[in-house]
Amino acid sequence: MSLHQPQHGDPIVAIATAPGKGGVGVVRFSFPSPSSFQAFCTAFCGKLPKPRLATLLTLRDFDQHAIDEGIALLFNAPASFTGENVLEFQGHGGQAVLQGVVGHALALARQLNIPLRHAMPGEFTQRAFLNDKLDLAQAEAVADLIDAGSIATAKAAAASLSGVFSKQVNALADRIVHLRLLLEATLDFPEEEIEFLEKADAKGQLADILNAHRQLLGAAQEGVKFRDGLQIVLVGEPNVGKSSLLNALAGEEIAIVSAIAGTTRDRIKQELNIRGVPLVLVDTAGLRDTADEVERIGIARTRKSVEEADLLLILKDATQGLQDALNTHLELPLHLPTITVLNKVDLLPKVPQLLNDVLPVSAKNGLGLEQLKDAILAKVGIAHTPDHGFMARQRHVDALMVCGQHLAVAHEFAQQDDRILDLFAEELRLAHDALGEITGRMLPDDLLGLIFSRFCIGK
Ligand SMILES: Nc1nc2c(c(=O)[nH]1)N(C=O)[C@@H](CNc1ccc(C(=O)N[C@@H](CCC(=O)O)C(=O)O)cc1)CN2
Ligand SMILES: Nc1nc2c(ncn2[C@@H]2O[C@H](COP(=O)(O)OP(=O)(O)OP(=O)(O)O)[C@@H](O)[C@H]2O)c(=O)[nH]1
């Protein structure tokens, strides 16, 4: 964070590629002012590169020593990612080289009296948002795409980035606006209001809106699961094969995220994905009493994830029979969907006929695992294949919930025939505003700032 308040009007620079070594690394600049952009590019590149044409050049410091050889790519406003004037330098992917490039750029800008500074996290995307290149849900999808831990999650985020989610939000908003306009027009002619509204089928329109809202909310809730991972709680006596099942489920599908250095790995939480849907398996064996302070914190967290769980997997040992009582000291939420899994059926002479919701598997030889995966996704209501879903955040679901509450009140008003049209209209306005929070049309600046500050630098 810089000491002074960052100005949206400053030119910014950042290394756009991930820290570490890579074949190629990219330094990206965004300039609001075309004149300082031209002055800077000419000095920095030795000549002004042609827009959108890869230009090979050697960057030199003030003593004419080479800093790096690379490719410059220039985009004039507004046809760029940020909507401003953008210069990219694609150099060699080492931190010393790239930091050298940035350092030289800052020194050169100082000499030219151009207030170039390091970009804050998310600032490039924030500018794209401010310049109407992306709406807020799309900008958030940029961060989610980068964070995606599986191809399926990445596809869902890419769908949101391309506007699949935003389009549906906007379509719903348009329908509400249409009805609002009708109501406003009617308000001016109170004598004819009832007849007028009946003719225009205001109730029918509202029913359609409620329907569209319900579908969008469902899809968004699914989208949140794509993003945050489904919480699955695994319970079972010692030795029934919890670890074995986990490994078997993980197989080659173990989440890419868990391999990223720096993501803290709870022993009792395992991230994996099933058919590309991210899951967090919470092993309740970790929920024992302990005097250890750190462990206690971990346990408190685990308890919380149990409370928020989407599914309970009860694992039993087939050689022990189904009868044994589940001895768990956990108070498990009763409303949780449950699947009982009978493990080690390979040890039985034949696979038993079982009731619904009890699945025979063998973690050892893989029997029943595909059915278990189907059952898990079905139980938690992931109906869409990742190819058709989009990614969403809890923030979006919350806004859709608020929208739904206002639509429900509007619906009640619509059932009454006396003079409450203005209340009906007001509820529609509030429903509409809630949708505006998703696309960023109705969000205060500080909240916007908070959302973008969670991006990585250079994004
Ligand atoms: N080198 C490079 N690769 C990148 C990015 C980048 O900024 N630089 N991106 C950064 O995230 C992503 C691509 N996103 C981009 C989105 C829009 C525009 C752009 O220039 N848009 C203009 C022109 C559109 C056109 O030519 O069709 C515009 O919207 O007006 C560029 C990149 C991933 N790859
Ligand atoms: N035959 C057979 N053995 C299994 C199967 N699954 C697990 N086992 C064996 O059962 C034993 C216990 O398995 P684990 O996966 O360690 O069980 P756990 O529930 O994680 O055990 P705790 O960590 O003690 O709670 C091991 O010897 C496994 O090889 C199975 O499907 N078939």
Side-chain angles (χ1 to χ4, degrees), residues 40 56 91 121 132 136 210 263 286 300 317 359 438 440:
F40 175 80
L56 182 64
D132 283 332
L136 189 57
L210 279 164
T263 53
D317 185 332
L359 286 175
I438 298 176

Side-chain angles (χ1 to χ4, degrees), residues 236-247 283 285 315 317 319 342-347 361-366:
E237 305 284 329
N239 263 319
V240 294
K242 292 185 292 299
S243 315
S244 308
L245 182 69
L246 192 69
N247 289 334
D283 185 350
L315 194 57
D317 185 332
T319 61
L342 194 61
N343 189 30
K344 309 194 190 180
V345 291
D346 57 289
L347 294 177
V361 304
S362 165
K364 194 169 182 174
N365 69 16

Side-chain angles (χ1 to χ4, degrees), residues 10 46 66 80 96 104 133-134 155 157 174 183 185 242 271 301 316 332 336 346 403 411 414 445 457:
D10 288 342
S80 71
H104 174 64
K133 289 283 164 183
L134 300 168
K155 276 188 182 169
D174 286 349
L183 290 178
K242 292 185 292 299
E271 289 170 357
R301 253 189 236 141
K316 293 176 182 267
L332 293 163
L336 264 190
D346 57 289
C403 171
H411 182 68
D445 284 351
I457 292 185

Side-chain angles (χ1 to χ4, degrees), residues 16 26 28 52 73 75-83 86 88 90 124-125 132-134 142 145-146 161 458-459:
V26 176
R28 185 161 57 164
R52 300 178 147 253
L73 205 49
F75 302 81
N76 282 320
S80 71
F81 174 65
T82 60
V86 169
E88 287 184 10
Q90 313 184 350
F124 287 91
T125 313
D132 283 332
K133 289 283 164 183
L134 300 168
V142 169
L145 181 56
I146 293 170
L161 174 57
K459 215 36 246 178

Side-chain angles (χ1 to χ4, degrees), residues 46-379:
K47 60 180 180 229
L48 189 64
K50 286 208 179 76
R52 300 178 147 253
L53 202 75
T55 308
L56 182 64
L57 52 91
T58 302
L59 281 188
R60 297 189 181 277
D61 65 14
F62 296 118
D63 300 323
Q64 294 308 308
H65 291 130
I67 302 171
D68 192 10
E69 180 185 65
I71 289 168
L73 205 49
L74 184 151
F75 302 81
N76 282 320
S80 71
F81 174 65
T82 60
E84 299 180 342
N85 304 282
V86 169
L87 177 71
E88 287 184 10
F89 178 75
Q90 313 184 350
H92 291 91
Q95 288 310 292
V97 184
L98 297 173
Q99 277 164 16
V101 172
V102 171
H104 174 64
L106 289 168
L108 185 65
R110 215 171 301 127
Q111 213 181 47
L112 296 167
N113 229 342
I114 293 170
L116 179 69
R117 62 169 170 80
H118 287 283
M120 320 268 287
E123 204 169 1
F124 287 91
T125 313
Q126 184 172 25
R127 288 186 179 195
F129 168 72
L130 291 172
N131 292 319
D132 283 332
K133 289 283 164 183
L134 300 168
D135 68 29
L136 189 57
Q138 289 174 301
E140 290 171 312
V142 169
D144 292 340
L145 181 56
I146 293 170
D147 286 341
S150 71
I151 296 292
T153 344
K155 276 188 182 169
S160 291
L161 174 57
S162 74
V164 171
F165 179 39
S166 301
K167 270 185 209 132
Q168 294 186 38
V169 172
N170 290 332
L172 181 61
D174 286 349
R175 285 178 162 194
I176 296 177
V177 169
H178 189 261
L179 186 54
R180 276 182 71 191
L181 290 177
L182 180 72
L183 290 178
E184 303 291 343
T186 313
L187 282 170
D188 295 336
F189 303 98
E191 314 76 43
E192 294 143 50
E193 98 190 355
I194 304 298
E195 193 193 347
F196 192 74
L197 287 179
E198 268 173 16
K199 236 190 205 156
D201 192 22
K203 281 187 196 172
Q205 283 193 35
L206 185 59
D208 286 349
I209 289 172
L210 279 164
N211 212 7
H213 171 271
R214 195 171 326 111
Q215 284 182 18
L216 186 55
L217 178 62
Q221 281 168 328
E222 207 162 282
V224 170
K225 294 192 172 156
F226 268 122
R227 182 169 183 267
D228 296 347
L230 296 158
Q231 297 273 344
I232 299 191
V233 175
L234 188 59
V235 297
E237 305 284 329
N239 263 319
V240 294
K242 292 185 292 299
S243 315
S244 308
L245 182 69
L246 192 69
N247 289 334
L249 280 177
E252 281 160 24
E253 299 189 281
I254 194 126
I256 300 165
V257 270
S258 59
I260 296 168
T263 53
T264 38
R265 286 271 298 280
D266 282 350
R267 266 184 308 115
I268 40 185
K269 275 191 177 185
Q270 175 71 48
E271 289 170 357
L272 59 122
N273 69 66
I274 289 183
R275 311 231 165 91
V277 178
L279 310 175
V280 183
L281 263 165
V282 185
D283 185 350
T284 53
L287 284 172
R288 57 199 164 80
D289 289 329
T290 174
D292 184 278
E293 187 63 24
V294 177
E295 206 170 338
R296 244 191 225 165
I297 295 169
I299 289 168
R301 253 189 236 141
T302 306
R303 268 192 196 286
K304 192 159 176 296
S305 32
V306 170
E307 278 159 27
E308 292 167 356
D310 297 294
L311 175 70
L312 177 62
L313 268 189
I314 301 173
L315 194 57
K316 293 176 182 267
D317 185 332
T319 61
Q320 308 290 312
L322 258 181
Q323 273 66 38
D324 63 333
L326 186 72
N327 259 331
T328 169
H329 52 281
L330 275 172
E331 293 135 48
L332 293 163
L334 291 172
H335 63 272
L336 264 190
T338 304
I339 298 176
T340 303
V341 180
L342 194 61
N343 189 30
K344 309 194 190 180
V345 291
D346 57 289
L347 294 177
L348 300 180
K350 72 179 193 29
V351 176
Q353 287 290 315
L354 294 168
L355 306 166
N356 279 346
D357 289 344
V358 180
L359 286 175
V361 304
S362 165
K364 194 169 182 174
N365 69 16
L367 190 135
L369 286 184
E370 292 308 313
Q371 288 89 328
L372 177 57
K373 289 178 189 177
D374 288 339
I376 289 174
L377 294 184
K379 272 274 175 184

